[in-house]
């Protein structure tokens, strides 16, 4: 038994050392991968900004070439969005996502995002409706740019999966419990809902909807919802989604807890 025990200890020791070496290699690989993503994303940004800048200058002066330059600008903006998404994922995984909080009017922020997407929606015969309830606070204390990013991602998704329908954005106050369900039992929050009449969420996607690279679309990276969840989480809020009971489309909801600063 003593001999067998010594042999077992040796085997455990060797396997432990191998596991430690493997872990070290994986950690190093992960570090290199994050560094590469960070460097690559920054390198992408410079030529993208040049393409956008010169294209918009030419677009403003040579009106006969509208069709071509609109395509250049649109694709450059897609590259810019992808670059920002990659950088955000790198920041999130490195726990370096910084928030710059200030007071701002949430209604105005939502209206600005809607305005940015009106042309895209009209091309798909989609009507965007903003329904702001009376009890929404005039201002919220949060990172405006990041929340604009969340609303932009959710609205883009809704338009992408809706054809000849409606998208309704609602902002109001409600009590939200720790499971993200709206009720009267927990902390007061600002609630933003984006409801569409599109194709809805595939049942296979629901459990991993907010994971990285979770997408069934032929376009997009599947990073938008992952980033949106990370931003909402960093504000101590909740985000969730479900298919509408009438079988038409889906609803995405996120909350922001109302703090003493919001009530000033």
């Amino acid at each position: 038994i003593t001999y067998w025990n010594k042999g077992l200890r040796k085997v455990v020791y060797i396997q432990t050392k191998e596991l430690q070496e493997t872990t070290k290699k994986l950690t190093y690989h992960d570090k290199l991968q994050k560094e590469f993503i960070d460097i690559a994303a920054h390198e992408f940004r410079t030529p993208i900004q040049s393409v956008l800048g010169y294209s918009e200058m030419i677009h403003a002066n040579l009106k006969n070439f509208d069709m071509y330059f609109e395509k250049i600008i649109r694709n450059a903006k897609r590259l810019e969005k992808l670059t920002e998404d990659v950088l955000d994922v790198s920041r999130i995984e490195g726990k370096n996502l910084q928030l710059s909080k200030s007071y701002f009017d949430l209604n105005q922020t939502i209206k600005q995002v809607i305005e940015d997407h009106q042309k895209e929606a009209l091309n798909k015969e989609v009507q965007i409706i903003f329904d702001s309830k009376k009890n929404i606070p005039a201002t919220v204390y949060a990172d405006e740019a990041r929340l604009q990013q969340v609303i932009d991602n959710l609205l883009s998704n809704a338009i992408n999966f809706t054809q000849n329908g409606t998208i309704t954005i609602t902002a109001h106050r409600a009590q939200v419990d720790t499971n993200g369900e709206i009720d009267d039992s927990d902390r007061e929050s600002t609630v933003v809902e984006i409801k569409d009449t599109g194709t809805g969420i595939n049942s296979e996607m629901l459990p991993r909807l907010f994971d990285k690279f979770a997408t069934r679309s032929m376009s997009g990276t599947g990073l938008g919802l992952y980033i949106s969840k990370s931003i909402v989480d960093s504000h101590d809020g909740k985000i969730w989604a479900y298919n509408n009971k009438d079988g038409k489309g889906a609803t995405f909801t996120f909350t922001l807890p109302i703090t003493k600063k919001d009530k000033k």
Side-chain angles (χ1 to χ4, degrees):
I1 292 173
T2 301
Y3 177 79
W4 178 79
N5 191 43
K6 285 181 179 178
L8 182 60
R9 284 183 179 180
K10 186 177 181 180
V11 171
V12 171
Y13 175 79
I14 292 171
Q15 289 183 342
T16 301
K17 291 293 289 183
E18 289 177 347
L19 183 59
Q20 288 174 341
E21 287 298 316
T22 301
T23 302
K24 189 183 294 184
K25 289 177 181 178
L26 286 173
T27 302
Y28 178 70
H29 174 76
D30 189 54
K31 183 174 181 292
L32 286 179
Q33 180 174 293
K34 287 180 181 177
E35 288 177 354
F36 167 76
I37 289 173
D38 195 60
I39 292 168
H42 279 292
E43 289 298 313
F44 273 133
R45 181 179 284 165
T46 301
I48 288 169
Q49 288 176 339
S50 294
V51 170
L52 274 174
Y54 285 116
S55 296
E56 287 174 344
M57 284 174 60
I58 297 170
H59 183 222
N61 292 287
L62 299 177
K63 296 300 182 182
N64 293 333
F65 297 91
D66 278 359
M67 180 180 67
Y68 303 104
F69 289 115
E70 281 180 7
K71 290 181 179 179
I72 292 173
I73 294 169
R74 183 174 68 250
N75 283 284
K77 286 181 177 178
R78 286 177 62 188
L79 269 175
E80 185 179 44
K81 177 67 166 59
L82 175 59
T83 303
E84 291 301 325
D85 284 352
V86 170
L87 277 172
D88 279 341
V89 170
S90 181
R91 294 184 187 110
I92 291 164
E93 298 199 336
K95 302 188 184 303
N96 292 318
L97 185 67
Q98 302 294 325
L99 296 181
S100 179
K101 292 186 176 182
S102 62
Y103 293 102
F104 67 93
D105 188 327
L106 182 61
N107 289 338
Q108 287 302 117
T109 300
I110 293 173
K111 289 175 183 177
Q112 180 60 57
V113 176
I114 291 173
E115 186 178 329
D116 292 342
H117 287 276
Q118 279 291 10
K119 185 177 180 181
E120 179 188 3
L122 288 173
N123 288 339
K124 297 190 71 178
E125 297 183 347
V126 173
Q127 182 184 12
I128 304 174
I129 302 167
F130 178 41
D131 180 16
S132 178
K133 303 300 183 183
K134 292 182 180 179
N135 66 346
I136 188 72
T139 59
V140 294
Y141 186 73
D143 188 320
E144 182 177 9
R146 288 299 183 184
L147 287 186
Q148 188 170 3
Q149 185 178 355
V150 172
I151 298 165
D152 184 88
N153 281 335
L154 298 181
L155 184 55
S156 292
N157 272 4
I159 294 172
N160 189 36
F161 291 99
T162 304
Q163 185 74 41
N164 191 21
T166 59
I167 297 170
T168 304
I169 303 179
T170 306
H172 59 96
R173 281 185 177 182
Q175 306 295 117
V176 181
D177 68 16
T178 54
N179 294 318
E181 297 294 335
I182 298 175
D183 62 15
D184 296 322
S185 64
D186 210 339
R187 64 199 300 189
E188 188 177 24
S189 298
T190 298
V191 182
V192 178
E193 294 178 329
I194 298 181
K195 179 179 180 180
D196 64 64
T197 59
T199 57
I201 306 166
N202 185 284
S203 57
E204 294 178 8
M205 290 293 299
L206 272 172
R208 55 190 184 90
L209 193 60
F210 296 97
D211 293 347
K212 276 185 300 183
F213 310 120
T215 179
R216 293 177 68 91
S217 173
M218 294 303 291
S219 62
T221 59
L223 295 176
L225 292 180
Y226 169 75
I227 293 168
S228 296
K229 183 179 186 304
S230 299
I231 292 171
V232 172
D233 286 348
S234 68
H235 282 83
D236 296 323
K238 300 284 183 182
I239 186 168
W240 67 95
Y242 56 87
N243 284 318
N244 299 326
K245 292 180 180 180
D246 60 6
K248 297 178 181 179
T251 299
F252 282 77
T253 306
F254 73 88
T255 68
L256 300 172
I258 294 175
T259 65
K260 291 180 180 179
K261 288 187 176 182
D262 292 313
K263 297 178 180 180
K264 286 183 178 180

